Amino acid sequence: MKDKSDNKIRATDITDEPVYLKRRHFLQLAGITTAGAAFAAIPGRSAADVKPLKTISSKYSTSQKPNSYKDIASYNNYYEFGLEKDDPARYAKSLITDPWSVKISGECDKPGNYNLEDILKPHPLEERIYRLRCVEAWSMVIPWVGFPLGDLLKRFQPNSKAKYVSFTTLNDPVQMPGVGRRVLAWPYHEGLTIAEAMNPLAIIAVGLYGKTLPNQNGAPLRLIVPWKYGFKSIKSIVEISFTRKRPQTSWALSAPREYGFYANVNPQVDHPRWSQARERLIGNGLFVAKQPTLVFNGYADQVAHLYSGLNLRKNF
Ligand code: MTE
């Protein structure tokens, strides 16, 4: 992964967040989901493209102040659309997200092709404010809209042979100019153990800031695993498969010394090329805030049991 320490977001680019949050609170009280003007100047999908979603709040949200919509939708990693942080916002307009379907395969009783509406219909949408800790040692706080991954997976009735879950992103060179370059093992694919996937912190996100996802953030649906480095949180998912064996993952295939299967946030295990002890919170313009990185990104109480007996240095 590129170690890009330059922050392309200027102080003047940042939305006046307290104003936005107050307005959101007012609209929630009035029973209206947020929309409109705050999103007007966002690159990528326009305000007209993202649609309002009705959400309920979640007990799992952090109380940290979210980054602005502009930070979240203009500083991205989505290598299918280029390697620079502003490439996805610029080029992901070409991604067609409607119609969309997800193939469910492998060790389960209800495999098949499900269209997006069928996938989403039974699930109430929550707002989950999580800090996304990227392996590149920066982080952002993002108000995702989504629902527990485990609730979705259970609907397909995984059988007793299902030990892992693998996820695959769309791989279309016409819509995704970046897949023409062999920077990663395409299609982008990721995996979790079944126990990780069933943990209530893991969600499928379909929106952020009360609206459907902009393409650059992984529309129409993506994974969010808040105790792991950001690269586990795969975007624009077209296949979910229940497997007996540990699935291969794009980053571990491309650079096995640098990126492992587990990818748990761990300040004690450095990346071979840089320290993971601290992180830079994106969105403070020139005044870059560095803060200590927390083990499991602060979720040790909820997830450390998943790794009992596992050497986290070897299994990075
Ligand atoms: N998913 C796909 N398909 N392609 C990618 O390049 N980048 C990952 C992850 N999911 C990536 C992806 C990385 S490295 C990070 S840090 C997060 O997405 C960034 O998510 P965001 O742009 O919504 O903040």
Side-chain angles (χ1 to χ4, degrees):
M1 202 171 291
K2 288 175 52 162
D3 178 19
K4 296 209 52 84
S5 48
D6 58 321
N7 178 357
K8 291 218 170 70
I9 299 166
R10 287 168 291 137
T12 48
D13 289 340
I14 293 162
T15 312
D16 186 353
E17 211 51 18
V19 172
Y20 174 81
L21 290 171
K22 257 191 213 152
R23 181 168 168 271
R24 184 180 61 149
H25 184 61
F26 167 74
L27 291 170
Q28 273 172 349
L29 286 177
I32 305 162
T33 50
T34 49
F39 304 96
I42 305 305
R45 270 187 171 193
S46 69
D49 293 326
V50 291
K51 299 189 183 73
L53 295 167
K54 231 181 163 36
T55 64
I56 49 174
S57 63
S58 166
K59 63 176 179 181
Y60 294 105
S61 288
T62 160
S63 55
Q64 269 186 292
K65 184 180 143 206
N67 279 82
S68 69
Y69 189 87
K70 193 159 191 173
D71 289 349
I72 298 167
S74 58
Y75 189 88
N76 300 102
N77 277 336
Y78 199 165
Y79 280 17
E80 287 86 335
F81 295 100
L83 303 184
E84 300 301 325
K85 295 288 179 271
D86 52 0
D87 284 343
R90 201 175 304 150
Y91 300 119
K93 290 184 193 81
S94 54
L95 179 66
I96 300 164
T97 59
D98 184 14
W100 193 271
S101 63
V102 181
K103 182 181 173 187
I104 305 296
S105 61
E107 300 291 350
C108 67
D109 294 344
K110 300 221 158 143
N113 281 307
Y114 293 81
N115 65 39
L116 189 65
E117 292 70 34
D118 293 338
I119 293 271
L120 305 187
K121 214 176 182 178
H123 301 283
L125 296 178
E126 293 173 26
E127 181 176 76
R128 291 260 187 125
I129 308 175
Y130 282 155
R131 190 175 57 252
L132 180 131
R133 169 55 159 87
C134 185
V135 75
E136 296 159 308
W138 53 262
S139 61
M140 272 197 216
V141 180
I142 303 179
W144 299 112
V145 176
F147 56 89
L149 171 66
D151 290 354
L152 176 68
L153 298 182
K154 280 177 208 151
R155 285 172 52 202
F156 309 121
Q157 299 176 2
N159 63 39
S160 59
K161 293 177 198 134
K163 305 287 183 227
Y164 296 89
V165 190
S166 80
F167 303 85
T168 310
T169 295
L170 181 73
N171 184 25
D172 180 350
V174 177
Q175 296 179 52
M176 300 171 138
V179 299
R181 295 167 72 182
R182 291 220 41 86
V183 288
L184 266 183
W186 310 117
Y188 197 104
H189 46 287
E190 259 307 334
L192 298 171
T193 67
I194 194 92
E196 290 175 328
M198 293 295 174
N199 186 281
L201 288 176
I203 61 167
I204 290 288
V206 296
L208 62 87
Y209 264 123
K211 303 198 83 176
T212 50
L213 287 172
N215 285 353
Q216 58 268 35
N217 291 91
L221 79 170
R222 67 173 296 176
L223 184 65
I224 300 293
V225 195
W227 69 95
K228 292 179 181 280
Y229 291 118
F231 70 88
K232 297 297 280 186
S233 292
I234 181 170
K235 298 180 171 182
S236 309
I237 297 167
V238 290
E239 183 166 3
I240 300 177
S241 188
F242 297 94
T243 66
R244 299 174 189 207
K245 292 201 177 135
R246 191 154 107 179
Q248 301 268 27
T249 60
S250 287
W251 282 103
L253 272 174
S254 303
R257 278 190 61 252
E258 304 192 359
Y259 310 106
F261 175 78
Y262 286 98
N264 291 316
V265 174
N266 191 343
Q268 282 136 34
V269 177
D270 286 342
H271 184 280
R273 290 185 277 139
W274 59 84
S275 164
Q276 293 292 23
R278 295 170 74 76
E279 66 204 59
R280 192 165 50 88
L281 191 60
I282 297 293
N284 290 327
L286 294 175
F287 301 99
V288 167
K290 276 206 171 177
Q291 56 190 43
T293 286
L294 303 175
V295 69
F296 297 116
N297 201 22
Y299 297 104
D301 287 350
Q302 291 96 321
V303 299
H305 69 276
L306 296 170
Y307 312 101
S308 58
L310 203 69
N311 180 334
L312 295 178
R313 274 186 190 280
K314 277 195 186 148
N315 299 281
F316 57 89

